[in-house]
Amino acid sequence: MKFKANNMILTLAIASCFQSARAEDRIQLARHDVDVYADDVVVTANHMSEPLVIETDPRIPRQPLPAHDGADYLKTIPGFSVMRKGGSDGEPIFRGMAGSRLNILVDGQNVQGGCSMRMDAPTSYIFPEAYDKLTIVKGPQTVLFGPGGSAASVMFDRSIKFLKEPGYTGRSSLLVGSFGRNDEVVDIKAGNENFYVQGVGTNSFSQNYKDGNGDQVHSSYHRYSGNVGFGFAFDENTKLELSGAYSNGWAQYADRAMDGAKFQRENYALRFEKTNISPLINKISLLVSRNDIDHVMDDYSLRQPPSSMQMGWAQLKHQTDNFKFSIDLSPKENFILNLGMDAQLASHEKAWGRNYMKSMMNDPSLFSRDMQKDSTFKQIGFFGEGKYFLNDDVKFVGGYRFDEWDAKDKRDTTNHGTEGSDTSGRKRSEGLNSGFIRVEKNIATYPITFYTGFGHSERFPDYWELIPSHRGLAGMDGNSSAFLSTKVEKTNQLDLGFVSTRDKLSFSGSVFYSDINDYILIDYRSAYKGTMNMGGSSRNIDAYSYGAEFDAAYKINDEWKTTAAFAYVRGRNETDNKALSQLPPLEARVGLSYDDHTWFGGALVRAAAEQNHYSAGQGNIAGQDIGRSGGFATVSLHAGYRPTKQTVVTAGVDNLFDKNYAEFISRSGSNGMGSPITGFVQTTRVNEPGRTIWLKGTINF
Ligand SMILES: [Cu+2]
């Protein structure tokens, strides 16, 4: 891990944050250093640094203040929305696409949440400040990061970096804010040029926040994590890292009948890289990892329990093993090629209890049935992605991957009772093809780069689409299984855009049109709310969507800069002749910032239009359209001071005018049965936080 934040502060503050880093080979996106974006606070939005790619440093504070987790971090990037469920564990959505339409990788690994009711998106297990770099590739325009991911690939990465001389380096930050919020991060690396040991610890807590009306939202959470890594450099070009991570916590939810009492992740990983092997072979890399999620939810430990007959709990475990091998080749001076294979093995199991007497619920373990597997998913994929430089100004990029998927339904009425399945014991296998091609044209005199790409992505239905969801609109119980009926989703997408970086003015834009055959819609209109299994129906429809994101930054002088960004998306469910659900309204941000290298500050206005295009009751594995939403605008301010090169103190206020509002993409603010959570106000949607004041200090050493 690099700790150059201190000299970053100087050099980067001086440099425009919109420096382009497009120069060289970007095939190994996930391995690059963060060399752009050196603001101390990300005010408006993260800039597209090259066609379709956004890179940012997840340790830089942003406005508004993110929750502890990965989803909130993504929200500052135009095109992303976060579905709010409470104070944490929001669901990231890009251009209205959620779930496994986003490939979310942590150090190259697929982390799958455990909750069948989707309390935990993969980002729930990511504390962004523990990572060096966040990279986003928009659209089906890469095949390097695993199958699916038709909407975007999102990578949180820690680099394998050694110290130049024996010693130690580190970083610590402390954040305090409204509603009892406090986050602590310590990150220390000790070693020399051949070896390091790194430890990262994080802790984050918040009490219930209050919305703009001053009403408390059932949203308190606590999360903590520890990562340990041992790095070995056998020589300059050969690196190995063994790492382990543990995290846990709990969270209250404002949108459902249960809270998350346990979110435990255990992770082990081995990463190996060998570079500069021969003129042909630039690099080989290997990853082997295991992620074990152990999640418990209940309706009594973190809230006022309901009547005794409704009390219940569930424990869910998701184990995901990942393997990846890849090789970077340069067959010709102007041609680079990445070949590899990856594999994933996931198994999910579940135990639950309900309808027990309140007095007997004190020890849930008393009622714990043996954990029962409900499914296994296996995937093996082969991929190749190349870049061909026709000349200095024209580049072709293309890739293809083949994935073999095998899934097995392990539910039966013996071990899953009423949640058994009429496809118990059945298997399904699919061979899927995905690929893309793109041309990038640089006009050096301006300079500006234009790109056009076409991508095809075939996505195997994920756990949530096959197991907790039912088949057909009549699905009133767990026995109507969607396991065999849900078809593979096929996306054909056209991506166009431009990126320009000049001294004073930088801007980028991306436009897309996506035609989706057999889009997997989760239709909640018939969801049976009387049991714990409240999944909707998993249906294939034909749909299309289109939209654009645009951002610009203008340097008024050495100290002052203005920025602007907007995102727009629209789509249609052609099968039902309705609006495609879960698409956010038009959103715009305008920011102004000042930085004289010692003092800095800024203001941000974020505005969202009303949304009248919706299909109530339809959505995805995480949520559904509730109805129309009104527009809103919020204002945030921040100011900061760098007393020394190693120290930064930043303070901010988000939602300055204490506006009461909710995002269009949100969960409903009730207990999931249409009633308020006892002791809380019921709202149509889960309202966003009201005025929030925060103070953050960071020390590098
Ligand atoms: Cu859960």
Side-chain angles (χ1 to χ4, degrees), residues 184-254:
E184 298 82 28
V185 179
V186 179
D187 182 343
I188 295 175
K189 181 182 272 185
N192 56 31
E193 58 197 358
N194 299 314
F195 172 76
Y196 67 73
V197 54
Q198 180 181 16
V200 186
T202 71
N203 183 55
S204 180
F205 172 79
S206 177
Q207 293 169 351
N208 290 336
Y209 68 80
K210 284 184 183 169
D211 67 13
N213 279 345
D215 293 325
Q216 281 209 22
V217 177
H218 194 250
S219 59
S220 180
Y221 65 83
H222 181 215
R223 285 299 161 85
Y224 55 93
S225 74
N227 291 264
V228 183
F230 299 93
F232 304 90
F234 301 106
D235 59 54
E236 216 181 313
N237 294 315
T238 314
K239 296 173 186 175
L240 173 77
E241 193 199 55
L242 295 167
S243 63
Y246 176 87
S247 62
N248 205 343
W250 52 263
Q252 294 183 332
Y253 285 74

Side-chain angles (χ1 to χ4, degrees), residues 6-195:
N6 43 356
N7 41 30
M8 258 169 72
I9 285 161
L10 275 181
T11 46
L12 295 181
I14 295 164
S16 152
C17 77
F18 288 152
Q19 282 171 349
S20 171
R22 101 176 55 108
E24 7 82 50
D25 161 29
R26 287 298 176 144
I27 281 193
Q28 278 298 314
L29 291 165
R31 287 281 165 265
H32 273 238
D33 291 337
V34 177
D35 47 357
V36 289
Y37 260 92
D39 286 325
D40 284 298
V41 176
V42 173
V43 177
T44 312
N46 288 293
H47 179 73
M48 203 160 76
S49 56
E50 60 179 297
L52 298 162
V53 177
I54 294 167
E55 288 187 343
T56 184
D57 183 342
R59 292 175 298 205
I60 299 170
R62 44 224 54 203
Q63 267 198 314
L65 176 68
H68 68 89
D69 64 11
D72 260 26
Y73 249 78
L74 295 170
K75 199 173 175 177
T76 50
I77 295 163
F80 273 95
S81 320
V82 176
M83 181 191 296
R84 185 172 284 283
K85 306 165 184 172
S88 67
D89 306 314
E91 188 77 26
I93 297 167
F94 183 63
R95 294 170 170 168
M97 300 292 156
S100 55
R101 295 179 185 111
L102 298 178
N103 249 341
I104 297 173
L105 301 181
V106 185
D107 279 340
Q109 309 159 37
N110 225 297
V111 180
Q112 303 218 44
C115 187
S116 52
M117 286 161 65
R118 197 69 180 182
M119 281 179 172
D120 53 346
T123 41
S124 300
Y125 296 96
I126 299 170
F127 191 97
E129 239 183 298
Y131 297 88
D132 294 324
K133 193 174 64 154
L134 167 60
T135 310
I136 290 139
V137 182
K138 297 179 179 186
Q141 286 285 316
T142 178
V143 293
L144 297 176
F145 304 104
S150 49
S153 302
V154 177
M155 283 76 68
F156 287 86
D157 284 294
R158 251 175 343 105
S159 49
I160 304 179
K161 264 210 171 153
F162 294 85
L163 303 176
K164 294 213 169 67
E165 46 199 58
Y168 69 94
T169 173
R171 179 175 183 282
S172 178
S173 76
L174 175 69
L175 179 145
V176 290
S178 303
F179 318 120
R181 173 79 183 272
N182 64 87
D183 288 14
E184 298 82 28
V185 179
V186 179
D187 182 343
I188 295 175
K189 181 182 272 185
N192 56 31
E193 58 197 358
N194 299 314
F195 172 76

Side-chain angles (χ1 to χ4, degrees), residues 232-449:
F232 304 90
F234 301 106
D235 59 54
E236 216 181 313
N237 294 315
T238 314
K239 296 173 186 175
L240 173 77
E241 193 199 55
L242 295 167
S243 63
Y246 176 87
S247 62
N248 205 343
W250 52 263
Q252 294 183 332
Y253 285 74
D255 66 321
R256 60 188 77 200
M258 286 198 166
D259 298 310
K262 182 182 187 184
F263 292 93
Q264 179 183 285
R265 172 184 175 228
E266 284 176 5
N267 162 238
Y268 313 94
L270 179 152
R271 292 191 286 165
F272 176 78
E273 297 178 359
K274 191 160 174 64
T275 43
N276 301 319
I277 296 165
S278 74
L280 173 66
I281 305 172
N282 298 338
K283 182 174 173 177
I284 57 170
S285 54
L286 175 74
L287 164 76
V288 184
S289 70
R290 164 162 290 185
N291 278 280
D292 273 313
I293 303 298
D294 183 351
H295 165 60
V296 174
M297 56 183 164
D298 67 46
D299 60 5
Y300 52 86
S301 68
L302 291 165
R303 65 177 64 194
Q304 168 111 42
S307 71
S308 60
M309 291 310 285
Q310 288 176 316
M311 293 188 18
W313 61 271
Q315 182 171 18
L316 305 111
K317 293 185 178 179
H318 214 160
Q319 181 176 80
T320 312
D321 292 339
N322 278 117
F323 172 85
K324 182 173 180 177
F325 173 77
S326 70
I327 180 162
D328 291 15
L329 303 169
S330 45
K332 289 172 80 175
E333 207 171 69
N334 59 345
F335 181 44
I336 44 184
L337 185 62
N338 186 311
L339 300 173
M341 63 96 57
D342 53 25
Q344 193 186 128
L345 184 63
S347 81
H348 190 273
E349 50 191 321
K350 183 172 183 181
W352 78 97
R354 70 172 85 127
N355 290 349
Y356 294 107
M357 296 299 290
K358 199 177 282 188
S359 59
M360 295 166 73
M361 291 303 284
N362 294 329
D363 183 5
S365 63
L366 277 177
F367 304 99
S368 197
R369 305 172 189 193
D370 288 340
M371 295 292 291
Q372 297 286 353
K373 251 185 204 163
D374 60 10
S375 62
T376 54
F377 285 68
K378 286 182 211 168
Q379 167 265 331
I380 181 162
F382 299 90
F383 58 83
E385 182 167 316
K387 286 190 180 180
Y388 179 76
F389 299 81
L390 184 67
N391 54 45
D392 284 351
D393 294 324
V394 177
K395 179 165 76 175
F396 291 94
V397 189
Y400 166 76
R401 69 174 291 139
F402 174 79
D403 290 288
E404 175 68 28
W405 280 91
D406 289 286
K408 191 165 185 191
D409 183 351
K410 302 220 162 189
R411 297 167 293 176
D412 63 47
T413 46
T414 325
N415 58 29
H416 285 89
T418 55
E419 291 176 21
S421 154
D422 59 3
T423 56
S424 174
R426 300 290 295 272
K427 281 185 205 170
R428 60 183 285 182
S429 301
E430 311 262 358
L432 306 184
N433 297 282
S434 300
F436 73 95
I437 181 115
R438 176 168 86 241
V439 57
E440 298 177 13
K441 163 91 175 131
N442 182 36
I443 296 168
T445 46
Y446 184 71
I448 186 167
T449 303

Side-chain angles (χ1 to χ4, degrees), residues 424-502:
S424 174
R426 300 290 295 272
K427 281 185 205 170
R428 60 183 285 182
S429 301
E430 311 262 358
L432 306 184
N433 297 282
S434 300
F436 73 95
I437 181 115
R438 176 168 86 241
V439 57
E440 298 177 13
K441 163 91 175 131
N442 182 36
I443 296 168
T445 46
Y446 184 71
I448 186 167
T449 303
F450 292 94
Y451 68 88
T452 307
F454 174 76
H456 173 78
S457 170
E458 297 182 352
R459 185 177 70 84
F460 192 74
D462 60 32
Y463 167 80
W464 293 267
E465 289 162 336
L466 291 187
I467 304 294
S469 300
H470 309 307
R471 174 183 69 231
L473 278 169
M476 293 292 280
D477 61 61
N479 287 320
S480 78
S481 166
F483 182 76
L484 294 176
S485 59
T486 307
K487 286 184 268 189
V488 166
E489 179 176 287
K490 280 84 66 181
T491 301
N492 291 305
Q493 185 164 319
L494 185 65
D495 281 284
L496 306 170
F498 48 85
V499 180
S500 175
T501 305
R502 307 182 75 182

